[in-house]
Amino acid sequence: RRSTKIAQRNGIDIMTGNELLTYMYKHIVQLKNDGYLPIKGNVYKANERPLDAQTEDCCIAIIAGNASQIQEGEVVVNIYVQDVMNAEGLWKEDRERTEAMEHILDGLPMLLTSMGDVRFTASGMILTLTEEDIHQHFASIKMSFKVLTEY
C-alpha cells in the first residue's frame, strides 16, 4: 500500500499537486539531512524562498501534471548559489560550486525514485542559469514524474 496521502477522483487514487510537492519536499529534506544534498541553506516549496535570501537553497516546483490513472507531469528543482566577487569588484558565478550542484542534481531522479511511490526521470539538460538582480546563479533540473495510481 502506498505511503503517501492521496485523494480520490472517480474511484481512482490520485496525488494532488500539494501532496506531490510535500512528498518531494519531505524526501529532499531527508536527502539533505543524510548528506546526499550538501547545500548550505534550506529546502523550500515553490514560491516560499525569501526574496532576499543569500543562502544556498533548494527550491521545488511542479510545472505540469495530470490526474489520470497513470499520473504524469513535470517538476523543477533549482539550487541557488551565491555569486562571488572577483578582483575587479564584479559579481561572477561561483562555477566550482554550481558545477558541484549540477552533479548532485544529476543523481536526484534516481535517489527520489528509490525512496518511494513516484518514478522520476530527468527530462532535459541540467543547466546553470543566472539571477543577476540578486547576484546568484542556480543549477536547475527538470524531471518528469510518473505515479501509478491504484483502483
Side-chain angles (χ1 to χ4, degrees):
R1 191 77 191 155
R2 136 180 354 264
S3 62
T4 54
K5 182 179 180 246
I6 48 179
Q8 279 207 340
R9 180 176 297 156
N10 298 327
I12 299 173
D13 293 337
I14 61 165
M15 290 179 79
T16 66
N18 280 326
E19 287 170 342
L20 180 63
L21 198 58
T22 298
Y23 174 90
M24 288 188 64
Y25 174 84
K26 177 180 79 171
H27 289 303
I28 289 175
V29 166
Q30 181 180 342
L31 290 171
K32 179 182 184 291
N33 293 340
D34 291 346
Y36 292 106
L37 182 64
I39 60 171
K40 300 172 186 172
N42 298 301
V43 178
Y44 293 100
K45 295 178 185 177
N47 302 316
E48 291 182 356
R49 183 176 190 246
L51 295 175
D52 61 349
Q54 298 294 307
T55 49
E56 193 174 272
D57 298 318
C58 178
C59 299
I60 311 159
I62 298 171
I63 56 176
N66 68 26
S68 59
Q69 181 181 353
I70 299 176
Q71 283 184 267
E72 298 176 296
E74 292 195 319
V75 297
V76 66
V77 177
N78 298 327
I79 299 178
Y80 288 81
V81 176
Q82 182 68 36
D83 288 349
V84 292
M85 197 170 285
N86 66 14
E88 292 82 35
L90 301 173
W91 292 102
K92 69 175 192 82
E93 175 183 354
D94 183 345
R95 192 169 310 275
E96 182 178 326
R97 193 66 184 154
T98 56
E99 285 179 3
M101 294 301 105
E102 286 178 348
H103 288 290
I104 288 166
L105 288 176
D106 188 46
L108 190 61
M110 182 187 68
L111 286 170
L112 287 172
T113 297
S114 72
M115 297 176 86
D117 304 321
V118 182
R119 182 174 162 226
F120 293 91
T121 55
S123 60
M125 179 184 285
I126 297 168
L127 301 170
T128 293
L129 305 166
T130 184
E131 283 280 4
E132 289 181 20
D133 294 342
I134 59 173
H135 305 294
Q136 295 180 5
H137 280 73
F138 60 95
S140 183
I141 185 171
K142 185 161 59 167
M143 298 183 288
S144 297
F145 69 85
K146 188 178 284 190
V147 183
L148 181 58
T149 56
E150 301 173 1
Y151 284 103

